[in-house]
Every structure is written in C-alpha cells, then in structure tokens.
Amino acid sequence: MKTSARTDAFERSGIRVMFELAEERGGDLVRLEVGEPDFDTPEHVIDAAAEAARDGATHYTSGAGIPELREAIAERMETETNVPVSPEEVTVTNGGMEALSLALSAIVDPDEEVIIPTPAWPNYRNQVILAGAEPVEVPLAEESGFDLDSDRIIENLNEDTAAIILTTPSNPTGRIYDEDAVKAVVEAAADHDAYVIADEVYARLTYDDDYRRITSYTDYEGVLTVDSCSKTYAMTGWRIGWLVGPESIVEAATSLGESTTACPSSVGQQAALAAVTGTQEPVHEMHDAFRERRDYLTERVVEIPHISCPRPEGAFYTFLDVSELDGSSFDVAERLLSDYGVVTAPGGAFSDAGEGYLRLSFANSLDRIELGLDRIERLVTDEFE
C-alpha cells in the first residue's frame, strides 16, 4: 500500500537500529547507545505524582499545561537568564521532542529551509521533513572538536531560511558552542527574519564551566528555547517538556498541540512541578556522577591506541574517533556488538559529518563503562595485531 512522500523521505535512526539489534542478540551487553540517565526519578517527584493521582489530578488540563508549572518554568528561565519571562511565554509539551515538533510546525512553511549544524541528533532532520520543510545540514569541523562555525552557518542563510537549530551542549559531541559564534549566528538569523531554536535539554549537565542559556546573552526575540525534565531529572518516561518563546509562537504551538495530543499528562505535569520547584540535590548527585564518569572515560581512551575522543563539556556523551578501524561507523558498531558485546551509536547516524565516530553514552555505571572500554580495547588490539 502507498505511503506518503514525507515518510519515504525519513531515515531510520541508527541509534534505534543498534538498540533493536542489541535486543535481538541479548546476553551480557554493555549498553552505551541510549541517551538516558541510569538513575531513577527522584523519590520526592514520584511521591508528588502519586499523591496528585490519588487526589484526582487525572483529567485533561489546559493544552499549554497547568498554570503552576508554567509559572515555575517561567521563574526558572528568568532566574537562569536574567531576562523577564511570563507564563504566557511557556507551553508545556509531551517531552522536548513535541516542543521541537510544535515549534517547527508553528514557524515553518512548506519548502522553506531549516539549518542544522552537524553532527546532530537524527530526529531534527525527520522533524523538519514532518513540518514540510527542507533540512539543510551544515557539517562542523572535526579539527575544532565540532565547535560551532558561524561562517559556515551564515553562508547557508538565504531568503528561504525559516530557522536554525542550535543544540548546546551538543548531542552527540558534548560540545558547548562558543558564545561569540552563537551570537554571530543569532544576529545573522535576525537579519534574515529567521528563528533560532535553542535545544537546551542538557543545559544543567555541564562539567567545567557554568552554562549560559542562549537567551541570556542575546536579545533577539526570535529565539525559541526547548527544554524538558527528561535528562536533568531522570524522567525520560514521564514525557514532560516545554517550549519558551514569544507569546504568539507559544499560542500557535499550543493550538497545534490541541489537535495532536490535546495536553500533556496531568500526572506527569505534577511530577514536573515537584521536580522544578523541589530540592535539586538529586540533580547535583547525578551531575557529579556523570562528571566522574566523563573524566574516567576520556582518560581511559587516551591509553588506547588508534582511537581518541574530544573531552565533552556537557551532556553525557563522548564522540569516539574510530576512523582508523576497518569499515564504516555502522560496520564498527555492528562488529563491536556482535563480537564484543558493546552497544554504541554509529556516528553516521548523526549525519555524514559523524562518519568515522561512535557515540558512547556515559549514562551508565562506572563498572559497566570500564567493562565496555576493556572490550573496545580488545577490539582495537585484535584489529591491529
């Protein structure tokens, strides 16, 4: 039976391909492919959700989310950016993925272009296609550790550009983009009446310097911020995210959401409210654990010949250069899975710019990361004996 041209243009996520191959194989696998904290949701968040459910918070809510949560998110954003944010500039969504999808649908017309610096999370490309637009992938330089190259982005701007997606800290590289480069891109976007979508779901997972949200050092009203509870609070399954931006865009996104999911989970919103307004100690504990793992992983890789990785500044990924090994990144990932029991995400899944790399998630325990690196070292040794 016929499928739409839109779905025919989709490419399956290489991350999910490896996930499913691992599920089929089974056995003692070291799972380093999925970007999901290995911690449980904080206890006080679960308690708040359970209490709310028992008290009857199990019905539809406003499409934009419950007022208390929108207010809490606005206050958090204002505190972190020193820029006034009203609850009317916030809409709560079913995860950060829906926030991104609704934002694109609200601002992009068919046949317009959306610029995506790469390597990048593969869902950006597919969501742009879903919105009827054309993804324009702009590869960043390996030599800079895939830092944002403003010149490369700006030279791809034209009258058809509707938006630029900036993900910082980056998935898959863990890079925090240089602020001067971000400013230059935002200014150029403003000159072209293009929006900037700032995907900042990893904003609170940075390890060397305090992260500044893009809206804290740029004053362009066309910056739309996507965030969620998933990574910061180990709440991937609760599916609560949000979009912050001009009230007119937020209203449009909310209206679109009413025709797709009606509203976010009522119980999930109560959980998110407890997460955002409650103690942040569990966040600090996860942060410190991730930093320890980041340090161990990068220091260990230095000791293994023929592979290398830049030191990630945020998120919980490292981008491992395996270009000296035989085959494509998918070949290496499949060989590592089938012969050595380590599951990774092939760099080619994050665009052509990621070819020759593997994304490793360090959202796993230190002992499993150590075992995974032991096995990776064995693969390298076997190939170069």
Side-chain angles (χ1 to χ4, degrees):
M1 298 293 290
K2 175 184 176 296
T3 57
S4 70
R6 183 179 289 113
T7 58
D8 292 342
F10 264 43
E11 293 179 2
R12 284 206 64 203
S13 167
I15 307 168
R16 300 302 302 182
V17 168
M18 294 307 301
F19 177 90
E20 290 173 10
L21 287 174
E23 292 291 295
E24 292 172 7
R25 182 183 186 278
D28 178 28
L29 301 179
V30 179
R31 306 293 294 261
L32 304 177
E33 85 279 19
V34 176
E36 178 175 44
D38 59 316
F39 296 90
D40 291 329
T41 300
E43 195 67 29
H44 73 280
V45 174
I46 296 173
D47 290 343
E51 182 179 352
R54 293 191 189 98
D55 288 346
T58 56
H59 303 280
Y60 288 131
T61 73
S62 163
I66 59 175
E68 304 94 316
L69 181 55
R70 297 176 74 192
E71 290 168 7
I73 293 167
E75 289 176 9
R76 164 75 65 81
M77 280 292 293
E78 187 166 331
T79 298
E80 292 181 345
T81 63
N82 290 319
V83 176
V85 180
S86 72
E88 291 72 31
E89 295 172 307
V90 177
T91 188
V92 184
T93 59
N94 289 279
M97 293 172 68
E98 188 187 36
L100 174 66
S101 178
L102 294 177
L104 287 167
S105 294
I107 64 175
V108 174
D109 283 319
D111 300 324
E112 289 188 320
E113 296 178 352
V114 176
I115 294 175
I116 307 169
T118 59
W121 185 49
N123 282 27
Y124 295 138
R125 178 185 181 277
N126 284 344
Q127 290 215 11
V128 170
I129 292 171
L130 267 178
E134 181 72 23
V136 177
E137 298 183 347
V138 179
L140 302 176
E142 295 179 70
E143 310 82 65
S144 69
F146 300 105
D147 198 3
L148 186 66
D149 185 328
S150 57
D151 290 339
R152 290 191 184 191
I153 302 301
I154 292 169
E155 69 186 16
N156 280 276
L157 277 165
N158 58 57
E159 66 275 7
D160 294 325
T161 304
I164 304 166
I165 299 176
L166 298 181
T167 314
T168 178
S170 166
N171 173 12
T173 67
R175 184 79 193 210
I176 295 176
Y177 289 156
D178 176 76
E179 287 188 7
D180 288 337
V182 171
K183 286 180 184 177
V185 168
V186 172
E187 290 172 2
D191 290 340
H192 286 77
D193 294 323
Y195 289 92
V196 173
I197 299 177
D199 186 343
E200 296 182 328
V201 299
Y202 298 100
R204 304 190 76 201
L205 293 174
T206 61
Y207 307 111
D208 301 314
D209 298 304
D210 289 337
Y211 177 75
R212 296 207 301 162
R213 292 186 181 274
I214 290 175
T215 53
S216 70
Y217 58 88
T218 61
D219 57 7
Y220 178 41
E221 292 185 356
V223 176
L224 313 178
T225 301
V226 171
D227 204 346
S228 83
C229 287
S230 292
K231 315 298 183 178
T232 304
Y233 299 104
M235 292 176 64
T236 52
W238 295 84
R239 309 312 303 140
I240 297 294
W242 51 85
L243 175 69
V244 181
E247 189 172 341
S248 60
I249 303 302
V250 165
E251 288 179 353
T254 301
S255 177
L256 291 167
E258 290 173 354
S259 298
T260 53
T261 56
C263 66
S265 160
S266 57
V267 174
Q269 290 183 70
Q270 295 293 337
L273 180 61
V276 172
T277 62
T279 176
Q280 301 300 295
E281 186 58 33
V283 177
H284 301 321
E285 291 174 0
M286 284 189 286
H287 174 276
D288 291 346
F290 289 141
R291 179 168 55 193
E292 181 183 11
R293 298 169 187 180
R294 185 276 308 257
D295 292 345
Y296 170 77
L297 193 156
T298 53
E299 290 165 9
R300 175 73 187 280
V301 167
V302 170
E303 300 172 358
I304 304 175
H306 305 292
I307 63 174
S308 62
C309 65
R311 185 180 177 84
E313 299 158 326
F316 38 63
Y317 310 109
T318 190
F319 215 39
L320 189 69
D321 186 343
V322 294
S323 57
E324 291 188 39
L325 304 184
D326 289 337
S328 68
S329 61
F330 279 92
D331 294 333
V332 176
E334 289 176 351
R335 194 158 66 247
L336 192 55
L337 167 60
S338 62
D339 298 344
Y340 298 88
V342 181
V343 195
T344 60
F350 301 91
S351 82
D352 291 344
E355 187 50 61
Y357 288 80
L358 299 177
R359 189 193 74 175
L360 276 59
S361 167
F362 48 87
N364 207 330
S365 64
L366 267 176
D367 63 327
R368 298 302 289 176
I369 293 170
E370 181 178 4
L371 178 59
L373 288 172
D374 287 344
R375 294 177 176 182
I376 290 172
E377 184 171 15
R378 193 151 62 244
L379 174 144
V380 174
T381 301
D382 290 346
E383 294 211 357
F384 286 91
E385 277 185 341

